[in-house]
Amino acid sequence: MASFGVNAQLLVNKPTFTHDDTLRGSITKERIWWDLKHYALHVSVQPKDSTFSGFNTITYQVLQPSQVLQVDLQQPLIISKIVQDGVNLKFKRDGNAFFVTLQKAQKVGKTESLTVYYQGKPRVAKRAPWDGGISWSKDKDGKWFIATSCQGLGASVWWPCKDHMYDEPDSMSIAVTVPKGLMDVSNGRLRSVKENSDNTTTFVWAVVNPINNYGVNLNIANYYRITDKYFGEKGQLDLNYFVLPENYQKAMTHFNQAKDMLKAFEYWFGPYPFYEDSYKLVEVPYLGMEHQSSVTYGNGYQNGYRGRDLSGTGWGTKWDFIIVHESGHEWFANNITYKDIADMWIHESFTNYSENLFTEFFYGKEAGHAYVLGTRKLISNDRPIIGVYNVNHEGSGDMYYKGGNMLHTIRYIIDNDEKWRNILRGMNQVFYHKTVTTEEIENYISQQSEVNLSKVFDQYLRTVQIPTLEYKVSGNKLEYRWTTCIDGFDMPVRFKKADNTYLKVKPSMQWQSIEDSNLSNISVDENFYINSKNLNK
């Protein structure tokens, strides 16, 4: 491990940012004055020439007086016109942002709407879902198999919207027109299907809950539909699985794992957050993504992550990684959503940790713990987990495995499983359908656990250093201290004794000591993600 000081490590690989990054990643003065209420998106997809065309009616409430509004749409797509109350509005483009001059006086408290018309060839996904856009593929029968994915890249890669995570619409309708013989599956529930005279079909979906913009998706194929029901904490939840014809029989049995996922996660996190919009698994031509109430799946109907166990323990091949992980995001990403992508750990750390909790629920506590500890070999400690704010910049990929191990460590600091479970469930109640900051999550966990965890979060989220616990034993005396850590780091930890009992201590950066009659073969509890150094050896 590189031994950087806290300040020095923050300078490693410091990125540079552009004007476009600021327009995309900040709450600009042209965004802050209006509150999203509803999107009514209409998209016509033409696979033959890879084009999209359509319009989005944006309904909003005026919070502050202003006459200029920002709408985002990424190149090479273009906006052809913007209309409010029948009047064509003037607008100018600045990179991927459009600044619209409103003619009608925008009065505080009033609800208004405007319609944005657009067209063009949206960006083709390069490596979905990590480098997303539109995935254009075909099934075994040569029929189109198309899907969107846009986290990080932004929803404006394929439709005009307020492309910042801090503001979500309260509801949304999604009307998608596709060539006859194909079906679109999007978020929420299917409201209508219309056969058009031009040999196309329009599918209209409705979402009645708030939805983050990257969670909106289109999935187009010759889908077969499987229906089921789950009886959970809020009653009956409708389950729908949309799969390619050749995979129908596999999906009939394999997708039963969705019920196991729901059983485990409702236990740990509380009710599935979108009963009104149902739960769907939708087959796509890429690995998968957490689209709200429309979780996409491309893991090949096999357990593990493309058949592999990421933990190396064997437990990760007991269940399908994509069904478990991407569905875990329904609680941590779609229910609780970061305001700024710099805080993406809120999505990925908790959802990574959900894999451990799923394993524990079905295979026992030791199995779950073995799984999360096994993922430590995948941690890089290359840069901080938290990114740079206001420029659409996410932190290190360590937000997955290091973040999951941080949460596992916090569980052992709290040392009360029922309290820990109540904290996880409480988060999904207090922050229900809300956008949040890291500070809100940190403060909630500290308050509910009655442990000041601020230094723990600072250490693991904001530096690349893993704290080292130095210790030595002399007779009945144990001495210990923290090193390679931030100033004031005082995380509690525990030692495991030879008789399988534990000795709890709260080290500081200064040597401390404690006496105990059973210190032979003492070791640091491996459930704490730290380095340890026995100075007697």
Side-chain angles (χ1 to χ4, degrees), residues 9-221:
Q9 64 84 22
L10 292 174
L11 300 175
V12 175
N13 299 322
K14 186 175 181 179
T16 57
F17 300 103
T18 66
H19 174 63
D20 281 344
D21 293 329
T22 299
L23 287 178
R24 169 68 202 291
S26 62
I27 304 174
T28 62
K29 67 181 187 297
E30 294 85 4
R31 281 172 168 162
I32 197 169
W33 66 267
W34 55 286
D35 176 42
L36 268 173
K37 292 299 181 184
H38 182 79
Y39 285 129
L41 177 63
H42 297 72
V43 185
S44 178
V45 179
Q46 297 89 29
K48 286 186 178 180
D49 60 3
S50 304
T51 61
F52 278 26
S53 62
F55 60 91
N56 185 23
T57 298
I58 303 171
T59 301
Y60 61 93
Q61 184 177 39
V62 180
L63 302 178
Q64 303 168 15
S66 185
Q67 295 299 125
V68 181
L69 178 148
Q70 179 178 339
V71 175
D72 304 289
L73 185 67
Q74 294 182 33
Q75 302 180 54
L77 294 173
I78 62 169
I79 290 177
S80 55
K81 66 178 177 177
I82 301 176
V83 180
Q84 185 169 61
D85 293 348
V87 177
N88 285 353
L89 302 176
K90 293 181 179 179
F91 56 89
K92 63 179 181 178
R93 182 168 206 160
D94 185 353
N96 293 322
F98 289 78
F99 294 96
V100 188
T101 300
L102 304 169
Q103 292 190 20
K104 178 181 181 181
Q106 304 294 299
K107 296 181 179 180
V108 174
K110 291 289 187 180
T111 298
E112 304 287 357
S113 65
L114 55 78
T115 301
V116 181
Y117 295 83
Y118 79 108
Q119 62 192 47
K121 290 187 177 183
R123 181 184 193 270
V124 176
K126 297 178 181 178
R127 185 173 169 260
W130 303 279
D131 193 353
I134 313 302
S135 297
W136 303 94
S137 186
K138 291 190 175 181
D139 66 14
K140 288 184 177 179
D141 296 325
K143 294 187 177 181
W144 283 106
F145 187 24
I146 304 164
T148 60
S149 59
C150 57
Q151 186 181 20
L153 179 63
S156 59
V157 73
W158 66 273
W159 60 288
C161 60
K162 188 180 196 177
D163 203 357
H164 193 289
M165 300 294 287
Y166 88 99
D167 192 11
E168 298 179 348
D170 299 332
S171 59
M172 182 172 184
S173 63
I174 309 163
V176 184
T177 300
V178 299
K180 188 175 182 179
L182 298 176
M183 179 181 188
D184 170 70
V185 180
S186 291
N187 313 80
R189 293 181 184 271
L190 184 62
R191 296 297 195 212
S192 66
V193 179
K194 181 184 178 183
E195 300 291 342
N196 304 312
S197 59
D198 61 354
N199 217 31
T200 63
T201 307
T202 300
F203 297 84
V204 179
W205 297 83
V207 179
V208 300
N209 287 297
I211 184 168
N212 65 57
N213 56 46
Y214 85 81
V216 179
N217 69 345
L218 309 185
N219 306 288
I220 300 166

Side-chain angles (χ1 to χ4, degrees), residues 202-418:
T202 300
F203 297 84
V204 179
W205 297 83
V207 179
V208 300
N209 287 297
I211 184 168
N212 65 57
N213 56 46
Y214 85 81
V216 179
N217 69 345
L218 309 185
N219 306 288
I220 300 166
N222 177 33
Y223 283 121
Y224 280 24
R225 179 180 180 184
I226 300 168
T227 62
D228 203 348
K229 298 184 185 302
Y230 177 78
F231 294 91
E233 290 194 15
K234 289 180 68 175
Q236 178 180 301
L237 173 61
D238 294 329
L239 310 179
N240 292 275
Y241 312 134
F242 294 88
V243 303
L244 295 182
E246 61 261 31
N247 294 321
Y248 181 80
Q249 291 300 324
K250 292 179 185 177
M252 284 286 288
T253 55
H254 192 78
F255 280 1
N256 282 330
Q257 288 193 39
K259 288 186 175 181
D260 290 341
M261 174 278 299
L262 288 161
K263 186 175 182 180
F265 289 166
E266 286 209 330
Y267 171 82
W268 284 111
F269 306 141
Y272 172 73
F274 307 105
Y275 270 73
E276 303 86 352
D277 288 323
S278 79
Y279 170 87
K280 298 188 290 296
L281 282 173
V282 188
E283 188 171 358
V284 290
Y286 63 86
L287 184 60
M289 193 69 196
E290 67 257 27
H291 303 107
Q292 184 172 311
S293 73
S294 180
V295 174
T296 50
Y297 178 88
N299 200 37
Y301 299 91
Q302 59 189 327
N303 285 349
Y305 179 96
R306 290 175 167 157
R308 296 186 292 115
D309 174 12
L310 294 177
S311 76
T313 63
W315 294 111
T317 51
K318 300 290 186 182
W319 39 269
D320 188 308
F321 178 91
I322 293 300
I323 293 175
V324 170
H325 179 91
E326 302 304 345
S327 298
H329 277 305
E330 293 281 45
W331 285 262
F332 295 98
N334 299 338
N335 185 35
I336 303 173
T337 308
Y338 56 67
K339 277 187 166 73
D340 190 301
I341 199 172
D343 291 333
M344 188 174 170
W345 78 272
I346 297 168
H347 295 196
E348 299 301 351
S349 297
F350 282 96
T351 305
N352 173 269
Y353 184 64
S354 77
E355 301 162 24
N356 158 35
L357 295 179
F358 177 90
T359 304
E360 177 176 334
F361 186 86
F362 284 103
Y363 302 103
K365 196 169 183 177
E366 289 187 9
H369 290 14
Y371 179 87
V372 70
L373 269 58
T375 64
R376 289 179 181 174
K377 64 182 179 296
L378 302 171
I379 298 171
S380 301
N381 284 312
D382 55 349
R383 56 193 178 94
I385 287 175
I386 292 181
V388 180
Y389 291 100
N390 301 317
V391 286
N392 195 48
H393 179 264
E394 62 190 61
S396 169
D398 279 348
M399 69 180 78
Y400 292 83
Y401 310 109
K402 183 179 178 181
N405 273 278
M406 176 191 72
L407 294 173
H408 186 68
T409 298
I410 290 172
R411 176 183 184 175
Y412 273 87
I413 293 170
I414 296 170
D415 198 24
N416 182 323
D417 284 351
E418 189 59 28

Side-chain angles (χ1 to χ4, degrees), residues 479-483 489 506-513:
E479 296 181 83
Y480 49 87
R481 71 171 181 180
W482 288 118
T483 63
F489 186 72
K506 190 176 183 181
S508 67
M509 298 177 73
Q510 308 301 317
W511 282 106
Q512 299 180 62
S513 64

